[in-house]
PDB file of all heavy atoms in Angstrom:
ATOM      1  N   ASP A1178     -20.228 -24.301  -4.854  1.00 53.00           N
ATOM      2  CA  ASP A1178     -20.428 -23.210  -5.842  1.00 53.00           C
ATOM      3  C   ASP A1178     -19.244 -22.989  -6.740  1.00 53.00           C
ATOM      4  O   ASP A1178     -18.853 -21.820  -7.014  1.00 53.00           O
ATOM      5  CB  ASP A1178     -20.851 -21.901  -5.133  1.00 53.00           C
ATOM      6  CG  ASP A1178     -22.164 -22.074  -4.400  1.00 53.00           C
ATOM      7  OD1 ASP A1178     -22.986 -22.883  -4.842  1.00 53.00           O
ATOM      8  OD2 ASP A1178     -22.354 -21.390  -3.356  1.00 53.00           O
ATOM      9  N   GLY A1179     -18.620 -24.052  -7.163  1.00 57.00           N
ATOM     10  CA  GLY A1179     -17.503 -23.944  -8.080  1.00 57.00           C
ATOM     11  C   GLY A1179     -16.193 -23.491  -7.438  1.00 57.00           C
ATOM     12  O   GLY A1179     -15.177 -23.318  -8.105  1.00 57.00           O
ATOM     13  N   ARG A1180     -16.209 -23.368  -6.171  1.00 61.00           N
ATOM     14  CA  ARG A1180     -14.980 -22.933  -5.440  1.00 61.00           C
ATOM     15  C   ARG A1180     -14.514 -24.077  -4.578  1.00 61.00           C
ATOM     16  O   ARG A1180     -15.256 -24.608  -3.759  1.00 61.00           O
ATOM     17  CB  ARG A1180     -15.230 -21.713  -4.586  1.00 61.00           C
ATOM     18  CG  ARG A1180     -13.966 -21.069  -4.024  1.00 61.00           C
ATOM     19  CD  ARG A1180     -14.245 -19.717  -3.416  1.00 61.00           C
ATOM     20  NE  ARG A1180     -13.034 -19.065  -2.942  1.00 61.00           N
ATOM     21  CZ  ARG A1180     -12.218 -18.402  -3.713  1.00 61.00           C
ATOM     22  NH1 ARG A1180     -12.465 -18.304  -5.007  1.00 61.00           N
ATOM     23  NH2 ARG A1180     -11.131 -17.834  -3.234  1.00 61.00           N
ATOM     24  N   THR A1181     -13.242 -24.482  -4.747  1.00 62.00           N
ATOM     25  CA  THR A1181     -12.711 -25.619  -4.026  1.00 62.00           C
ATOM     26  C   THR A1181     -11.777 -25.163  -2.907  1.00 62.00           C
ATOM     27  O   THR A1181     -10.921 -24.285  -3.099  1.00 62.00           O
ATOM     28  CB  THR A1181     -11.905 -26.521  -5.002  1.00 62.00           C
ATOM     29  OG1 THR A1181     -12.756 -26.954  -6.085  1.00 62.00           O
ATOM     30  CG2 THR A1181     -11.366 -27.744  -4.285  1.00 62.00           C
ATOM     31  N   THR A1182     -12.019 -25.744  -1.763  1.00 60.00           N
ATOM     32  CA  THR A1182     -11.156 -25.452  -0.597  1.00 60.00           C
ATOM     33  C   THR A1182     -10.443 -26.758  -0.206  1.00 60.00           C
ATOM     34  O   THR A1182     -11.037 -27.784  -0.073  1.00 60.00           O
ATOM     35  CB  THR A1182     -11.992 -24.942   0.594  1.00 60.00           C
ATOM     36  OG1 THR A1182     -12.653 -23.763   0.224  1.00 60.00           O
ATOM     37  CG2 THR A1182     -11.081 -24.687   1.803  1.00 60.00           C
ATOM     38  N   GLY A1183      -9.124 -26.655  -0.082  1.00 63.00           N
ATOM     39  CA  GLY A1183      -8.319 -27.793   0.341  1.00 63.00           C
ATOM     40  C   GLY A1183      -7.936 -27.703   1.786  1.00 63.00           C
ATOM     41  O   GLY A1183      -7.497 -26.609   2.202  1.00 63.00           O
ATOM     42  N   ILE A1184      -8.058 -28.741   2.518  1.00 66.00           N
ATOM     43  CA  ILE A1184      -7.695 -28.760   3.952  1.00 66.00           C
ATOM     44  C   ILE A1184      -6.622 -29.823   4.131  1.00 66.00           C
ATOM     45  O   ILE A1184      -6.786 -30.962   3.716  1.00 66.00           O
ATOM     46  CB  ILE A1184      -8.905 -29.119   4.852  1.00 66.00           C
ATOM     47  CG1 ILE A1184     -10.034 -28.096   4.598  1.00 66.00           C
ATOM     48  CG2 ILE A1184      -8.500 -29.146   6.313  1.00 66.00           C
ATOM     49  CD1 ILE A1184     -11.314 -28.430   5.358  1.00 66.00           C
ATOM     50  N   LYS A1185      -5.527 -29.435   4.742  1.00 67.00           N
ATOM     51  CA  LYS A1185      -4.390 -30.328   4.945  1.00 67.00           C
ATOM     52  C   LYS A1185      -4.700 -31.239   6.113  1.00 67.00           C
ATOM     53  O   LYS A1185      -4.380 -30.940   7.255  1.00 67.00           O
ATOM     54  CB  LYS A1185      -3.121 -29.538   5.136  1.00 67.00           C
ATOM     55  CG  LYS A1185      -1.886 -30.428   5.062  1.00 67.00           C
ATOM     56  CD  LYS A1185      -0.596 -29.612   5.150  1.00 67.00           C
ATOM     57  CE  LYS A1185       0.663 -30.475   4.961  1.00 67.00           C
ATOM     58  NZ  LYS A1185       1.885 -29.703   5.078  1.00 67.00           N
ATOM     59  N   THR A1186      -5.284 -32.400   5.807  1.00 75.00           N
ATOM     60  CA  THR A1186      -5.701 -33.337   6.883  1.00 75.00           C
ATOM     61  C   THR A1186      -4.497 -33.953   7.566  1.00 75.00           C
ATOM     62  O   THR A1186      -4.577 -34.291   8.746  1.00 75.00           O
ATOM     63  CB  THR A1186      -6.587 -34.436   6.310  1.00 75.00           C
ATOM     64  OG1 THR A1186      -5.917 -35.054   5.204  1.00 75.00           O
ATOM     65  CG2 THR A1186      -7.895 -33.868   5.819  1.00 75.00           C
ATOM     66  N   SER A1187      -3.377 -34.081   6.866  1.00 74.00           N
ATOM     67  CA  SER A1187      -2.190 -34.667   7.512  1.00 74.00           C
ATOM     68  C   SER A1187      -1.697 -33.808   8.658  1.00 74.00           C
ATOM     69  O   SER A1187      -1.292 -34.287   9.680  1.00 74.00           O
ATOM     70  CB  SER A1187      -1.085 -34.873   6.458  1.00 74.00           C
ATOM     71  OG  SER A1187      -0.717 -33.631   5.893  1.00 74.00           O
ATOM     72  N   ALA A1188      -1.832 -32.486   8.490  1.00 80.00           N
ATOM     73  CA  ALA A1188      -1.440 -31.580   9.557  1.00 80.00           C
ATOM     74  C   ALA A1188      -2.385 -31.682  10.764  1.00 80.00           C
ATOM     75  O   ALA A1188      -1.934 -31.598  11.925  1.00 80.00           O
ATOM     76  CB  ALA A1188      -1.465 -30.131   9.049  1.00 80.00           C
ATOM     77  N   LEU A1189      -3.656 -31.927  10.483  1.00 86.00           N
ATOM     78  CA  LEU A1189      -4.604 -32.106  11.571  1.00 86.00           C
ATOM     79  C   LEU A1189      -4.317 -33.391  12.342  1.00 86.00           C
ATOM     80  O   LEU A1189      -4.411 -33.415  13.589  1.00 86.00           O
ATOM     81  CB  LEU A1189      -6.020 -32.159  11.026  1.00 86.00           C
ATOM     82  CG  LEU A1189      -6.574 -30.876  10.364  1.00 86.00           C
ATOM     83  CD1 LEU A1189      -7.927 -31.092   9.770  1.00 86.00           C
ATOM     84  CD2 LEU A1189      -6.634 -29.729  11.412  1.00 86.00           C
ATOM     85  N   GLU A1190      -3.969 -34.438  11.624  1.00 87.00           N
ATOM     86  CA  GLU A1190      -3.622 -35.722  12.288  1.00 87.00           C
ATOM     87  C   GLU A1190      -2.398 -35.557  13.133  1.00 87.00           C
ATOM     88  O   GLU A1190      -2.301 -36.115  14.253  1.00 87.00           O
ATOM     89  CB  GLU A1190      -3.418 -36.791  11.195  1.00 87.00           C
ATOM     90  CG  GLU A1190      -4.716 -37.171  10.491  1.00 87.00           C
ATOM     91  CD  GLU A1190      -4.458 -37.985   9.226  1.00 87.00           C
ATOM     92  OE1 GLU A1190      -3.270 -38.236   8.931  1.00 87.00           O
ATOM     93  OE2 GLU A1190      -5.420 -38.308   8.510  1.00 87.00           O
ATOM     94  N   GLU A1191      -1.410 -34.810  12.626  1.00 87.00           N
ATOM     95  CA  GLU A1191      -0.176 -34.593  13.391  1.00 87.00           C
ATOM     96  C   GLU A1191      -0.476 -33.765  14.649  1.00 87.00           C
ATOM     97  O   GLU A1191       0.079 -33.982  15.719  1.00 87.00           O
ATOM     98  CB  GLU A1191       0.866 -33.839  12.541  1.00 87.00           C
ATOM     99  CG  GLU A1191       1.415 -34.690  11.411  1.00 87.00           C
ATOM    100  CD  GLU A1191       2.214 -33.881  10.413  1.00 87.00           C
ATOM    101  OE1 GLU A1191       2.471 -32.692  10.682  1.00 87.00           O
ATOM    102  OE2 GLU A1191       2.584 -34.420   9.350  1.00 87.00           O
ATOM    103  N   LYS A1192      -1.441 -32.820  14.513  1.00 92.00           N
ATOM    104  CA  LYS A1192      -1.787 -31.969  15.640  1.00 92.00           C
ATOM    105  C   LYS A1192      -2.478 -32.815  16.747  1.00 92.00           C
ATOM    106  O   LYS A1192      -2.149 -32.686  17.909  1.00 92.00           O
ATOM    107  CB  LYS A1192      -2.749 -30.886  15.138  1.00 92.00           C
ATOM    108  CG  LYS A1192      -2.858 -29.636  16.066  1.00 92.00           C
ATOM    109  CD  LYS A1192      -3.722 -28.609  15.349  1.00 92.00           C
ATOM    110  CE  LYS A1192      -3.751 -27.344  16.153  1.00 92.00           C
ATOM    111  NZ  LYS A1192      -2.511 -26.560  16.120  1.00 92.00           N
ATOM    112  N   CYS A1193      -3.356 -33.683  16.310  1.00 93.00           N
ATOM    113  CA  CYS A1193      -4.020 -34.619  17.267  1.00 93.00           C
ATOM    114  C   CYS A1193      -2.960 -35.488  17.954  1.00 93.00           C
ATOM    115  O   CYS A1193      -3.023 -35.667  19.204  1.00 93.00           O
ATOM    116  CB  CYS A1193      -5.037 -35.506  16.541  1.00 93.00           C
ATOM    117  SG  CYS A1193      -6.529 -34.656  16.035  1.00 93.00           S
TER     118      CYS A1193
END
Side-chain angles (χ1 to χ4, degrees):
D1178 297 330
R1180 190 170 184 82
T1181 302
T1182 300
I1184 302 174
K1185 192 174 183 181
T1186 53
S1187 59
L1189 295 174
E1190 291 165 1
E1191 290 169 10
K1192 201 174 184 72
C1193 287

